[in-house]
Amino acid sequence: MRASRPYIVRVFAAAVTSDPLPIRTTDHVTSLTDSAAPTARNYIDGRWVRPGAGSALDVTNPATGEVLGRVPLSGASDVDAAVSAAVRAFPGWRETPVVERARVLFRLRGLLEDHLEELARLLTRDHGKTLGEARGEIRRGIENVEHACGVPSLMMGETLEDIAAGIDCETMRQPLGVFVGITPYNFPVMIPMWFWPYAVATGNTFVLKPSEQDPLTHQRIVELAEAAGLPPGVLNVVHGDRTVVEPLLEHPDVKGVSFVGSSRVAKLIYGKAATAGKRVQALGGAKNHMVVLPDADYDRVTAVLLDSLFGSTGQRCLAGSVVVGVEEAYEPIRERFLDGARSIRLGNGLDADVDMGPVISPDHRERILGYVRRGESEGARLLLDRSGTGVADLPDGHWVGPAVFEGVTPRMALGRDEIFGPVAALTRAESLEDAVRLMHESEYGNATSIFTTSGKAAREFRYRAGISMIGVNVGVAAPMAFFPFGGSRNSFFGDLKAQGRDAIEFYTDRRVVISRW
Ligand code: NAD
């Protein structure tokens, strides 16, 4: 039985004004008989198929609480069907000339541009982030497709004549087969695109397991990839939660795994997939320090800090979390930051005058509020508490307003754990060295930023930080698609990172040929 106005139909009807493509809008969304909400389908071998298992979870709009659809919980047989389809598609796709593979991505890039606004609205409804943030995320995803379009150059090998008398040597990059992507909820469009465009550009085939919390927008991207000419079986999607991950990690035909999520799970995935003999890159969580020196421009820095800590409602792995004011920088930054945090407007991300949307789920909201409750008992001072702020007319949204603490130390849960919400910790350091020491007490090493007008201090900071992504007068140190993305310490397990040249390395093996004629 089909629901009266399935989610995809409703959203697409509202969001699409002129659709240049004969895109199917309903056949991958169907209803289970036990629910009025439409259920997403898996995408296997170029078809939208119902998983073998019958259970499903609700996917809600975090701003309204409305059930948008349901996500099926696939099982081992669905994994096997997807991996088998990817295995079958591999030889033909590998033999497809690299320029033709790139052309599919060129077409996809055009379609993503054409549909950017529609995708942004879908993303805001699925995830809750503001429309501006959603546009930014999609733009970042497109940039990865653009970069992967350069695969004919990126995949080139090297040659050297006369490595010995009359003997030449050459290297070439070859795809390996089937790769798997397991991705988090906070960037449900962009993060899958850190992976599968590069994997398929280099001639591999792919199975994506998106986050079960907001998997619907990426369905639309898969439709666009199909419309761009990606052959059946090259990209497959299997929905589900943690239970579907195990069979993906253990499947003998899977050659490698790209993972992004919390550090606990990243470490687990790294261990299991590596034990099963697969390549793994596993990106984990973060606790990012923002260090402000006394020579910084406080007004400009404060605006950047507010965006870093409260953008996407704090649900970014690059979000600032601890603001470290060095010496006399502390007081002016503290006052400006509090003023800014007081004026942040919460609401539905689709509304133009909203600064901050909801968090993903009621459970996540409770987790964040738990940190706010615990902060004072640990000895931190709560300077501003808007965490309980609601939004008029949207009583079922998962709202958490900004909370700001000071006197936070790395031993407190507030200073140690990744909260992944709009909770700021302010701390004073006596020197740049002291600030770096504070940072080094964290188990994480994803990103950090310094704000200064001194090139010498900035150089010293980047030399000593020991952290993978460093911002200098930049609050969100997000490398572009052609640079590597990923952390160190407990923020990353593996060696080759996402994006950039690393992506080409990860998805190919370098074969060396030595010839004498
Ligand atoms: P999560 O770890 O809960 O889930 C990530 C993925 O793993 C999902 O697809 C989920 O279904 C699956 N999963 C969850 N538990 C599992 C288990 N026990 N075994 C196997 N699979 C499991 O993460 P999330 O809450 O979706 O996303 C937020 C986290 O992701 C934050 O920690 C954030 O810092 C991190 N993140 C990191 C980066 C980065 O670049 N380092 C980028 C974005 C998000």
Side-chain angles (χ1 to χ4, degrees):
M1 193 183 79
R2 202 172 279 275
S4 53
R5 292 269 290 163
Y7 158 66
I8 297 286
V9 174
R10 267 182 288 120
V11 171
F12 285 0
V16 181
T17 44
S18 63
D19 190 338
L21 275 169
I23 297 277
R24 304 191 309 258
T25 54
T26 56
D27 60 354
H28 63 284
V29 178
T30 184
S31 291
L32 290 180
T33 46
D34 63 348
S35 166
T39 300
R41 290 187 177 191
N42 290 338
Y43 182 69
I44 296 177
D45 212 4
R47 282 172 297 133
W48 297 98
V49 294
R50 207 179 257 135
S55 55
L57 300 172
D58 286 347
V59 178
T60 55
N61 178 336
T64 62
E66 177 199 6
V67 177
L68 298 170
R70 308 198 82 213
V71 59
L73 300 179
S74 307
S77 61
D78 305 301
V79 164
D80 202 44
V83 175
S84 301
V87 167
R88 285 194 303 276
F90 176 59
W93 182 241
R94 183 201 165 171
E95 286 166 22
T96 302
V98 64
V99 284
E100 287 181 30
R101 296 202 302 263
R103 276 180 206 130
V104 173
L105 293 172
F106 271 114
R107 286 195 293 273
L108 173 60
R109 185 217 169 266
L111 292 174
L112 290 168
E113 289 286 355
D114 292 346
H115 291 264
L116 198 149
E117 201 51 33
E118 168 205 341
L119 289 165
R121 299 184 76 81
L122 283 175
L123 178 53
T124 293
R125 285 177 163 96
D126 281 359
H127 176 279
K129 60 183 68 184
T130 66
L131 212 42
E133 290 164 346
R135 290 184 188 114
E137 171 173 354
I138 293 160
R139 173 71 46 217
R140 280 292 163 105
I142 292 175
E143 283 161 5
N144 277 281
V145 177
E146 284 169 351
H147 186 226
C149 285
V151 66
S153 309
L154 293 169
M155 227 179 140
M156 277 182 190
E158 297 163 316
T159 58
L160 183 63
E161 287 183 329
D162 294 324
I163 57 161
I167 298 182
D168 303 332
C169 189
E170 62 191 307
T171 64
M172 56 194 71
R173 294 185 179 280
Q174 294 185 348
L176 293 165
V178 181
F179 278 84
V180 162
I182 301 158
T183 51
Y185 80 83
N186 67 324
F187 285 98
V189 168
M190 176 189 75
I191 291 181
M193 289 158 89
W194 283 351
F195 301 128
W196 71 255
Y198 297 101
V200 305
T202 48
N204 301 283
T205 54
F206 204 86
V207 179
L208 173 68
K209 203 297 281 175
S211 169
E212 66 276 25
Q213 299 198 72
D214 51 8
L216 300 177
T217 310
H218 212 86
Q219 299 278 91
R220 180 63 165 147
I221 296 205
V222 174
E223 282 189 332
L224 296 176
E226 187 184 40
L230 202 64
V234 173
L235 172 63
N236 306 274
V237 179
V238 176
H239 290 289
D241 60 8
R242 51 186 290 181
T243 53
V244 80
V245 172
E246 196 99 352
L248 280 168
L249 299 181
E250 287 173 354
H251 201 291
D253 289 329
V254 169
K255 301 293 181 209
V257 178
S258 298
F259 173 87
V260 182
S262 53
S263 286
R264 184 185 63 79
V265 181
K267 194 170 182 179
L268 205 90
I269 299 274
Y270 181 73
K272 285 191 176 171
T275 303
K278 303 182 193 315
R279 290 189 174 195
V280 203
Q281 48 181 188
L283 287 73
K287 188 83 181 171
N288 303 319
H289 292 69
M290 307 277 109
V291 177
V292 187
L293 297 193
D295 62 0
D297 175 338
Y298 298 140
D299 289 332
R300 283 169 72 172
V301 171
T302 305
V304 171
L305 288 176
L306 288 164
D307 174 60
S308 176
L309 276 86
F310 299 134
S312 273
T313 325
Q315 300 166 105
R316 290 191 288 203
C317 70
L318 294 181
S321 180
V322 182
V323 176
V324 186
V326 175
E327 297 175 301
E328 65 265 28
Y330 182 72
E331 294 295 332
I333 282 292
R334 174 186 185 270
E335 295 320 305
R336 285 167 174 78
F337 190 84
L338 282 168
D339 276 354
R342 280 187 198 104
S343 63
I344 286 174
R345 292 160 302 186
L346 267 72
N348 188 333
L350 289 175
D351 297 339
D353 56 352
V354 161
D355 302 315
M356 200 165 98
V359 297
I360 189 71
S361 65
D363 284 354
H364 191 47
R365 177 175 186 273
E366 274 315 302
R367 184 178 169 277
I368 297 167
L369 294 180
Y371 279 102
V372 177
R373 285 192 291 268
R374 193 171 157 192
E376 284 194 302
S377 64
E378 285 190 307
R381 279 180 301 285
L382 186 52
L383 299 177
L384 173 72
D385 184 10
R386 295 181 61 208
S387 60
T389 310
V391 172
D393 303 332
L394 293 171
D396 297 324
H398 317 145
W399 307 111
V400 188
V404 182
F405 285 89
E406 76 171 348
V408 176
T409 71
R411 304 257 157 83
M412 297 176 185
L414 275 177
R416 182 189 63 222
D417 296 356
E418 180 182 48
I419 299 173
F420 225 52
V423 180
L426 308 185
T427 301
R428 189 189 156 97
E430 297 314 318
S431 61
L432 178 55
E433 204 183 352
D434 190 26
V436 170
R437 184 191 52 72
L438 262 178
M439 246 162 59
H440 284 171
E441 287 195 38
S442 172
E443 65 173 289
Y444 296 105
N446 210 43
T448 184
S449 294
I450 187 169
F451 298 89
T452 179
T453 50
S454 160
K456 182 171 185 289
R459 185 197 183 268
E460 180 68 13
F461 182 74
R462 73 173 198 221
Y463 195 81
R464 309 243 167 252
I467 284 177
S468 298
M469 295 180 277
I470 300 176
V472 178
N473 299 316
V474 168
V476 179
M480 299 291 281
F482 25 89
F483 284 98
F485 193 114
S488 51
R489 305 208 280 251
N490 268 351
S491 295
F492 182 73
F493 302 91
D495 38 29
L496 293 169
K497 307 222 164 146
Q499 301 191 150
R501 281 206 149 268
D502 279 25
I504 305 295
E505 298 264 349
F506 186 74
Y507 295 119
T508 56
D509 193 30
R510 260 187 303 176
R511 307 268 150 89
V512 187
V513 181
I514 301 168
S515 321
R516 172 162 50 200
W517 289 100

